[in-house]
Amino acid sequence: MYLQRTNGTFKRGKNMKYKFEINERLPGLNEYTRACRTNKYVGAKLKKETEEYIYYYILEQLRDVKINNKVFIKFTWIEENGKRDYDNICFAKKFILDALVKAKVLKDDNKSHVSGFMDKFEYAEKSKVIVEMEEIE
């Protein structure tokens, strides 16, 4: 069951699922490493700016969601070309998890609150990331 908004309130059920999309290509490990090697402030700026726009996607799509249970997270990474390695692409989950905590959707991104991840990779005309979280009892 996915979260559904009805008359401004949320219906909650057993093993709730939440989903949001980030309609942009996120920086990968190579871009972040390059920024950090340029100057520590450049790396910090890249992380902060990336988390900020992810944060706004979260606020826009998940609004008042606050998850208290442990979650399993599935990331679908959609890339416009095959130039980046999978491990380089999915490094951006760090930015996503930190933004989920900042938005107070998750209390923390440690193993007490996140049971695990799954990464799926696809190709399309435009890059984006689909994040699906399922509450685990």
Side-chain angles (χ1 to χ4, degrees), residues 75 77 89-98 117 119:
F75 296 92
W77 307 93
I89 296 166
C90 70
F91 165 79
K93 75 175 65 157
K94 172 65 177 158
F95 302 136
I96 296 169
L97 290 168
D98 288 348
F117 311 106
D119 294 301

Side-chain angles (χ1 to χ4, degrees), residues 70-126:
K70 190 179 269 197
V71 295
F72 181 84
I73 304 174
K74 176 184 172 190
F75 296 92
T76 303
W77 307 93
I78 301 171
E79 291 277 303
E80 74 267 5
N81 60 51
K83 292 182 180 177
R84 301 196 301 171
D85 294 337
Y86 292 155
D87 59 340
N88 185 27
I89 296 166
C90 70
F91 165 79
K93 75 175 65 157
K94 172 65 177 158
F95 302 136
I96 296 169
L97 290 168
D98 288 348
L100 284 164
V101 172
K102 180 181 177 185
K104 298 183 179 166
V105 172
L106 297 177
K107 287 185 179 180
D108 203 337
D109 59 356
N110 63 25
K111 61 186 173 187
S112 297
H113 296 89
V114 178
S115 68
F117 311 106
M118 184 176 92
D119 294 301
K120 181 179 173 188
F121 300 90
E122 297 178 5
Y123 296 97
E125 283 186 29
K126 184 160 174 26

